Amino acid sequence: MDRKKVLIVDDQNGIRVLLMEVFSSEGYNTFQASNGKLALEIVRSESPDLVLLDMKIPGMDGLEILKHVKAINKEIKVIMMTAYGELDMIKEATDHGALMHFTKPFDIDEMRIAVNMQLQGNGTSNWYATGS
């Protein structure tokens, strides 16, 4: 069986490193991008199964990246991460196909469980996690 691929898109290096370690140890092939341009290149070349996408990224924001990801392949699952409680942006992200969102700082175990649920095919799209 092919290993599932997870792309982590965040402009904060510490978050990318943490999530790379967590999801590599879960057995996923992990990729990381610090900006939208690089993220979309990885989406095109690697076709990840799931993208963890920060809402606020300099240059191309998370909503714009989400729209491009879904235009490339609407089957790619996307979970948004945000340090802000912008309900309108979260609603718009959901309207564009994001499955759920995590508010930073998020519980890494909740994130791990949510990603595992989504990639093992029994995820629910109406489950929202909030940070501590």
Side-chain angles (χ1 to χ4, degrees), residues 66 89-101 125 128:
L66 170 64
M89 285 182 74
I90 291 164
K91 181 184 181 326
E92 190 175 345
T94 305
D95 290 345
H96 286 288
L99 297 170
M100 61 180 71
H101 75 278
S125 58
Y128 291 89

Side-chain angles (χ1 to χ4, degrees), residues 77 99-100 113-127:
K77 297 178 179 189
L99 297 170
M100 61 180 71
I113 290 165
V115 167
N116 285 334
M117 283 174 54
Q118 291 298 334
L119 291 177
Q120 290 160 13
N122 57 354
T124 61
S125 58
N126 297 329
W127 186 74

Side-chain angles (χ1 to χ4, degrees), residues 1-124:
M1 185 181 103
D2 284 342
R3 291 196 334 174
K4 298 280 188 177
K5 298 177 186 177
V6 176
L7 169 59
I8 296 143
V9 186
D10 199 304
D11 59 323
Q12 295 178 306
N13 186 57
I15 289 177
R16 289 195 318 271
V17 169
L18 170 69
L19 293 173
M20 293 275 293
E21 287 177 7
V22 168
F23 293 113
S24 293
S25 71
E26 289 288 308
Y28 299 117
N29 281 336
T30 54
F31 304 88
Q32 62 173 317
S34 58
N35 60 59
K37 183 176 185 296
L38 184 57
L40 295 175
E41 287 173 12
I42 294 170
V43 167
R44 285 187 191 98
S45 64
E46 298 295 337
S47 194
D49 298 287
L50 186 139
V51 178
L52 291 169
L53 178 55
D54 189 24
M55 192 78 84
K56 291 284 189 186
I57 296 180
M60 190 186 304
D61 73 14
L63 282 175
E64 199 176 334
I65 297 168
L66 170 64
K67 291 173 191 173
H68 285 293
V69 167
K70 290 297 187 175
I72 294 167
N73 180 350
K74 67 180 189 318
E75 299 301 313
I76 295 174
K77 297 178 179 189
V78 180
I79 295 176
M80 303 301 290
M81 301 180 289
T82 179
Y84 311 93
E86 308 111 339
L87 292 174
D88 54 336
M89 285 182 74
I90 291 164
K91 181 184 181 326
E92 190 175 345
T94 305
D95 290 345
H96 286 288
L99 297 170
M100 61 180 71
H101 75 278
F102 281 83
T103 304
K104 295 176 185 174
F106 46 78
D107 181 309
I108 196 64
D109 285 325
E110 286 181 7
M111 171 80 77
R112 185 177 52 75
I113 290 165
V115 167
N116 285 334
M117 283 174 54
Q118 291 298 334
L119 291 177
Q120 290 160 13
N122 57 354
T124 61

